[in-house]
């Protein structure tokens, strides 16, 4: 009855076997289709980037960041710390880097009124733009006791503190405030987040006119105490590699004084479809949309079929995340291409004005980031298919079993970790760069775990508490907590491996299914013995059993002999094979049980033979007397 009820619930053994084969076959089809999708996605991702982007960024950064002021080898854009250094850079390396008006032998190359070039190969698009953002006076309160010493106060930059009034000569645009455009993205700097607009001026096509402009601004104090940031924006195009390079140099003026410099170099491909390879990429984009449509329909059907049970699987959540990322990537790509279609032609015509390619580069970088995240999760999804493999199934089972222990451990770990991060920030934050903010303290401690740390700076900041902090952090986090984490993983993996060794493996494996189909293909091609040969062997065994019954052997003796023969064949095949075993395979619990039962049966047979011999010997002795 129990067997009948089991068949009623899950079907007959043949039906169960058929269902398993059907499930594996479906899995193989999904795996093949997904591999095609993954290859297509990789072509899209890597078709957007090429090594020329890195080399173009490197060349431009070395020109504008590493070139020093003549006569002052240590003064370049990276090392600017004062307003004087800033103007020296603008009138020196920056000016020389923008205007390449002659060959190395002083031969004129082209008419400067029509075009400008950098490194002879890169066309400057339009003219560069310089803009600054300022804050108003009295945006912070001065303590009453020091008002006699200072009655002015310029706070850090915020949109509420921004100065919108004209200043200085009040003649040209650099002295008048320009409202920000709605579509322009904000800039996230080291000290603050800055919006577009401000006090703007554009450079000239002439090197001498630009130099006079810089001198005029410097002499009339264009940079004031209220200045909080200056942006230098320009773009160039290299036709040799079909790349646009959008460059932004940023000089932030914090409320504490001094200058903090940063920069952005974006090499992007705005002219998308030029070569045959570009059209191939376009075909891959169309195929990507088709795959996305098919996968969306499949997931909707699964949700309709399984309903709430669908959301209980982590793989289904990964499917949904991947679909969402794909749709976001398609949206970014469409929006980005529409903006290129609408703006690129107008921007290229503005040869005497500033061409704002930063907006297009901004969306290109966002699209590239989304594609990068999408392809990451697309590769992670492969574990869904290879989890049918025994080894991969062991790994996934290990993680699923120890997840509760890991969560409990993580809570304890991060309590101690954040406690040390706060301690480091409070002790060394004012003197050590790695602990200057709470976020920096967190990442600095991760670097300490990996072996990258500045012990001399910690010790110098606090001679007593510095070494105590370092030694206790290494002991508790590195030697205790991390080893506890490894012990949790190791113990769980040992348990899972032991369970798998006694037969608790997956019901089916993709590898086994592929192997079976390979054998079937060989049998059809008559390169291997078919199942008919095995059937003949079984028929031969049945004939021998019938012959044994006719000769007077009882049923128990026949079954025992058949069991002995099966054990003997299996054990001889495994342990007495003529093939050389390259790696040592330990005896599992199932194999040990088979060997034990085989030894017990041998003992029974030997005892039975011994009784027979004793009986024969007694009869022989009786005949003699």
């Amino acid at each position: 009855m129990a067997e009948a009820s089991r068949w009623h619930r899950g079907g007959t053994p043949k039906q169960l076997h058929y269902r398993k084969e059907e499930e594996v076959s479906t899995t193989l089809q999904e795996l093949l289709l997904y591999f095609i999708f993954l290859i297509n996605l990789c072509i899209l991702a890597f078709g957007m980037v090429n090594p020329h982007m890195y080399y173009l960024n490197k060349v431009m950064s070395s020109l504008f960041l590493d070139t020093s002021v003549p006569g002052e080898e240590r003064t370049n854009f990276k090392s600017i710390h004062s307003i004087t250094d800033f103007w020296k850079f603008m009138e020196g390396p920056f000016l020389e880097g923008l205007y390449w008006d002659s060959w190395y032998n002083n031969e004129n190359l082209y008419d400067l009124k029509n075009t400008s070039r950098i490194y002879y190969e890169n066309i400057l698009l339009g003219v560069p733009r310089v803009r600054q953002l300022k804050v108003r006076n009295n945006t912070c309160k001065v303590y009453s006791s020091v008002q006699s010493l200072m009655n002015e106060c310029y706070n850090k930059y915020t949109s509420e503190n921004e100065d919108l009034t004209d200043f200085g000569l009040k003649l040209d645009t650099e002295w008048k405030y320009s409202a920000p455009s709605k579509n322009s993205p904000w800039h996230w700097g080291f000290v603050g987040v800055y919006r577009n607009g401000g006090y703007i001026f554009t450079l000239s096509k002439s090197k001498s006119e630009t130099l006079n402009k810089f001198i005029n601004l410097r002499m009339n104090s264009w940079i004031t105490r209220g200045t909080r940031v200056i942006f230098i924006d320009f773009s160039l195009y290299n036709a040799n590699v079909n790349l646009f390079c959008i460059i932004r140099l940023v000089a932030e003026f914090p409320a504490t004084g001094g200058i903090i410099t940063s920069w952005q170099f974006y090499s992007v491909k705005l002219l998308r479809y030029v070569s045959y390879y570009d059209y191939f990429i376009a075909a891959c984009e169309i195929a990507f949309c088709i795959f996305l449509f098919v996968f969306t329909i499949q997931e909707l059907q699964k949700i309709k079929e399984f309903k709430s049970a669908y959301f209980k699987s982590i793989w289904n959540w990964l499917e949904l995340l991947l679909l969402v990322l794909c749709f976001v990537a398609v949206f970014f790509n469409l929006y980005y291409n529409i903006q290129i279609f609408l703006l690129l032609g107008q921007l290229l015509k503005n040869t005497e004005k500033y061409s704002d390619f930063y907006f297009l580069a901004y969306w290109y970088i966002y699209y590239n980031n989304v594609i990068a995240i999408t392809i990451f999760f697309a590769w992670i999804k492969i574990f869904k298919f290879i989890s049918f493999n025994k080894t991969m199934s062991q790994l996934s089972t290990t993680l699923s079993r120890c997840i509760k222990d890991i969560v409990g451990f993580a809570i304890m770990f991060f309590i101690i970790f954040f406690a040390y991060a706060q301690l480091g920030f409070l002790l060394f934050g004012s003197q050590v760069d790695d602990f200057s903010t709470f976020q920096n303290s967190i990442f600095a401690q991760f670097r300490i775990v990996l072996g990258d740390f500045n012990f001399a700076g910690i010790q110098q900041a606090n001679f007593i508490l510095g070494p105590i902090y370092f030694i206790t952090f290494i002991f508790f986090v590195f030697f205790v907590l991390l080893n506890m984490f490894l012990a949790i993983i190791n113990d769980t993996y040992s348990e899972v491996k032991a369970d798998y060794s006694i037969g608790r493996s997956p019901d089916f494996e993709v590898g086994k299914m592929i192997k079976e189909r390979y054998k079937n293909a060989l049998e059809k091609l008559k390169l291997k013995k078919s199942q008919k040969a095995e059937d003949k062997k079984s028929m031969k065994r049945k004939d021998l059993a019938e012959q044994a019954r006719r000769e007077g052997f009882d049923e128990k003796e026949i079954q025992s002999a058949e069991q002995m023969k099966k054990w003997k064949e299996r054990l001889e095949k495994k342990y007495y094979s003529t093939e050389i075993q390259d790696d040592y395979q330990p005896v599992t619990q199932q194999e040990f049980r088979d060997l034990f039962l085989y030894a017990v049966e041998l003992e029974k047979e030997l005892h039975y033979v011994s009784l027979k011999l004793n009986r024969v010997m007694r009869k022989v002795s009786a005949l003699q007397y």
Side-chain angles (χ1 to χ4, degrees), residues 50-111:
N50 59 66
H52 296 301
M53 292 181 173
Y54 168 75
Y55 294 127
L56 183 57
N57 288 339
K58 183 178 180 181
V59 167
M60 291 300 122
S61 63
S62 65
L63 177 62
F64 291 103
L65 301 181
D66 300 329
T67 304
S68 302
V69 176
E72 301 181 17
E73 295 181 357
R74 295 183 179 181
T75 304
N76 52 32
F77 184 77
K78 293 180 179 179
S79 62
I80 290 176
H81 297 297
S82 65
I83 298 176
T84 303
D85 293 340
F86 177 80
W87 285 120
K88 286 182 180 179
F89 167 77
M90 296 294 286
E91 297 172 13
F94 179 69
L95 200 65
E96 295 297 330
L98 280 180
Y99 299 96
W100 294 62
D101 52 357
S102 62
W103 194 246
Y104 59 88
N105 58 359
N106 295 325
E107 179 183 352
N108 291 331
L109 295 177
Y110 39 78
D111 187 1

Side-chain angles (χ1 to χ4, degrees), residues 66 107 117 175 238 276 341 374 436 445 495 503 531 566:
D66 300 329
E107 179 183 352
R117 298 192 182 184
W175 307 102
N238 191 307
Y276 290 110
F341 177 77
T374 303
S436 57
Q445 290 186 160
E495 293 176 3
Q531 189 66 29
K566 288 180 182 179

Side-chain angles (χ1 to χ4, degrees), residues 108-123:
N108 291 331
L109 295 177
Y110 39 78
D111 187 1
L112 291 177
K113 294 182 180 180
N114 296 328
T115 183
S116 299
R117 298 192 182 184
I118 299 175
Y119 274 129
Y120 312 114
E121 302 292 343
N122 306 284
I123 301 174

Side-chain angles (χ1 to χ4, degrees), residues 327-376:
F327 276 110
V328 172
V330 170
F331 169 76
F332 278 3
N333 190 25
L334 288 175
Y335 181 79
Y336 163 70
N337 281 286
I338 291 172
Q339 293 300 322
I340 289 177
F341 177 77
L342 296 176
L343 300 176
L344 187 59
Q346 299 176 2
L347 293 174
L348 292 175
K349 290 180 182 178
N350 295 331
T351 58
E352 299 295 331
K353 298 180 180 179
Y354 169 71
S355 299
D356 189 5
F357 286 90
Y358 185 82
F359 175 73
L360 298 178
Y362 179 83
W363 282 102
Y364 179 91
I365 296 301
Y366 263 85
Y367 172 61
N368 186 46
N369 293 341
V370 171
I371 283 291
I373 297 172
T374 303
I375 200 170
F376 170 78

Side-chain angles (χ1 to χ4, degrees), residues 34 37-49 272 281 284-285 288-289 292 321-334 336-337 363-379:
Y34 186 74
F37 166 76
L38 190 59
I39 292 171
N40 182 79
L41 183 60
C42 289
I43 293 173
L44 283 180
F46 293 102
M48 294 170 53
V49 296
R272 298 286 302 277
I281 296 295
C284 291
E285 291 176 347
F288 176 80
C289 294
L292 182 58
L321 176 62
L322 191 58
L323 288 177
V324 170
L325 289 172
C326 289
F327 276 110
V328 172
V330 170
F331 169 76
F332 278 3
N333 190 25
L334 288 175
Y336 163 70
N337 281 286
W363 282 102
Y364 179 91
I365 296 301
Y366 263 85
Y367 172 61
N368 186 46
N369 293 341
V370 171
I371 283 291
I373 297 172
T374 303
I375 200 170
F376 170 78
F377 284 106
W379 278 104

Side-chain angles (χ1 to χ4, degrees), residues 17 20-21 23-25 27-28 31 385-391 393-394 500-521 528:
H17 181 70
K20 289 179 181 179
E21 285 201 357
E23 187 175 353
V24 174
S25 179
T27 302
L28 289 176
L31 179 60
F385 299 102
I386 63 177
S387 62
F388 292 113
N389 177 269
K390 183 178 179 180
T391 303
S393 181
Q394 287 180 356
Y500 274 63
S501 66
I502 60 175
R504 298 181 185 175
S505 57
D507 294 335
F508 57 89
E509 295 185 21
V510 174
K512 288 183 179 179
M513 188 64 185
I514 295 174
K515 189 175 181 180
E516 288 178 4
R517 297 199 172 184
Y518 172 72
K519 289 180 180 179
N520 293 336
K528 190 174 182 179

